[in-house]
Amino acid sequence: MPESNKRRILVASMCVITLLLLLMYYKKMNGFSFTSLQTFIQPQKNGSTFPRQPLPSPPCNCTRGSVLLKDLLPKEQREAIVQRRAKEFQQHKARTSSVLSKLLYALPNSPLQYPIQGYTVRPLTPTLIPVLGLHAGERDSYKVFLNVSKGILTTVTPDTQVTVKGAGTRELSIESISLVVLNELLAKVLYTSSIYHINSGDLAFFRFENHEAVFPIAIKQPQVPVLYHMGTDIRSQVTILTKTFLRYPQLKVLLASIRQFYPDITVIIADDSLEPERISGKNIQQYIMPPAQGWFAGRNLAVSQVVTKYFLWVDDDFIFTQNTKIEEFVKVMEAVPELDVVGGSVEGNRFYFSILYEEGDEVEGGCMIRKSGGKFHPLPGFLNCSFADGVVNFFLARTDAVRRVGFDPQLQRVAHSEFFMDGLGLLMVATCKDVKIGHQPKNKENTNPRYTEFRTAKKSDSDFKFQLHYFKNHLKCIRYS
Ligand SMILES: *[C@@H]1O[C@H](CO)[C@@H](O)[C@H](O)[C@H]1NC(C)=O
Ligand SMILES: *[C@@H]1O[C@H](CO)[C@@H](O)[C@H](O)[C@H]1NC(C)=O
Ligand SMILES: *[C@@H]1O[C@H](CO)[C@@H](O)[C@H](O)[C@H]1NC(C)=O
Ligand SMILES: *[C@@H]1O[C@H](CO)[C@@H](O)[C@H](O)[C@H]1NC(C)=O
């Protein structure tokens, strides 16, 4: 051994000895000991190691200026509505939550090896549990336990050195004098769900001596992709949608402006006018609805007829200009495929907003703030666009994503933000400033008094909307800021 190596070993040993002496000194001074360190890292056996129940969500606070929705319920029905809402909410929870939302954590110094994310099985299908293993020091014998609650556990038939108990049940134990053999068997443990469910989960407990771990098992039916075979021309990519009601002069101006820039793109018109007038033209589809079905019913009808990957929503009194570049919207959508809705600017107004929502407690419900002008960071590669939670009435949207959320046809008049409220957490939304559309001027000639009468929100409309938020959205209060 060269002289320099000998010296290094000497220095290293001195360091170790000094450390040990220091540690002994500290032990005297602070009552610190190896045994107390041991008990610190031991999992506690009193049931508090892993939370068995998720913590209930705390009540949310209604900030100043909020509308307290319960107060707007008709007095004589209030109690009954509260009870019906509670029952519906429990069903909603049963449909949307599973054990997989429970907080799981790993304790320090565990000899157990197990998957913490990504172990997904199909319902009723045996699936290998990956990476299961034990890394323990020398013992006379090694014994591990595994249990689950919505399925069974199996492994291969063991050889003579191993004892397997509970194969084919919810609880499996494997014992062996050889760690190698034990790990060979652990590597072959299969989980088979005994329930059919398309999107649920189970928790597996894995134990060795005092060490316990919990890991999630996602039980899922895989989803079949639904893809749109899109051409290269705008007509095969986008359909323009609008809804009209008693405003044929404006609609005709809009259609003429569309044809100026997009001569053959398909336009779908949902029409619930009282005395419908026939609108014809190449690639124009007018759907006549029963009279005065309302705003969202018309949007739903129009969206239901789209066969292209995207649709562009416009109001019947908008007007296309040379800045109404649908291609720009498509470019953004294609470049950022997570996006579902991208809005533009109407006569310089982008009316984007963010939504602050807290679920609140089970009894009272959630709190929501619609914050006008609220947006998030710019889209990567598109500095003129930013993420938001909702946008103006002029937007390009991914057809299938919007169909999944839908426009609630109960909302007849005063509705727009409500679509984005229903879509929070389901739709990725952005607003862009360089795609613009015009608004037709409001003047005597194009103001129809009958239209105004129908369209103007009455107090009963906003009361109805608040009652809908109370029940349907399980909200306690809402604020527009
Ligand atoms: C159970 O564990 C908690 C959390 O560490 C501890 O505070 C409590 O004293 C323990 N209870 C018993 C009975 O050991
Ligand atoms: C609501 O306000 C109370 C009192 O100001 C506060 O203690 C509580 O943490 C708030 N709750 C939430 C969910 O912010
Ligand atoms: C699984 O075992 C743990 C202890 O390791 C126990 O607390 C739990 O109740 C068991 N679960 C089932 C479903 O038997
Ligand atoms: C942003 O929009 C302006 C016009 O409003 C345009 O000149 C510019 O090129 C756009 N920037 C990007 C990154 O697209």
Side-chain angles (χ1 to χ4, degrees), residues 298-319:
R299 283 196 181 186
N300 266 337
L301 174 66
V303 171
S304 75
Q305 300 306 308
V306 176
V307 296
T308 50
K309 182 173 175 182
Y310 303 116
F311 69 82
L312 180 80
W313 182 266
V314 294
D315 282 356
D316 56 356
D317 58 350
F318 289 176
I319 182 165

Side-chain angles (χ1 to χ4, degrees), residues 13 49 61 73 97 135 143 208 232 291 300 303 307 390 417-418:
S13 325
T49 323
N61 293 326
L73 300 175
S97 58
H135 298 260
K143 186 172 188 182
F208 168 69
T232 51
N300 266 337
V303 171
V307 296
S417 310
E418 289 68 20

Side-chain angles (χ1 to χ4, degrees), residues 20 42 52 75 86 116 148 252 261 295 316 462 468-469:
L20 276 174
Q42 286 296 318
R52 297 289 188 253
K75 255 210 187 76
I116 54 171
V148 292
K252 285 171 185 167
F261 298 101
W295 194 233
D316 56 356
S462 62
L468 199 65
H469 283 316

Side-chain angles (χ1 to χ4, degrees), residues 46-111:
N46 70 0
S48 63
T49 323
F50 294 104
R52 297 289 188 253
Q53 290 295 325
L55 288 176
S57 170
C60 55
N61 293 326
C62 296
T63 50
R64 267 176 62 149
S66 296
V67 181
L68 297 175
L69 301 171
K70 196 169 157 184
D71 298 349
L72 299 174
L73 300 175
K75 255 210 187 76
E76 63 289 355
Q77 296 172 25
R78 199 169 290 167
E79 257 329 291
I81 292 175
V82 168
Q83 279 175 22
R84 280 204 300 275
R85 187 180 82 155
K87 176 170 166 276
E88 285 297 318
F89 184 67
Q90 289 308 322
Q91 294 195 353
H92 163 80
K93 261 186 37 181
R95 287 174 54 77
T96 54
S97 58
S98 78
V99 287
L100 298 190
S101 45
K102 198 178 219 171
L103 172 73
L104 299 178
Y105 52 88
L107 290 160
N109 272 13
S110 174

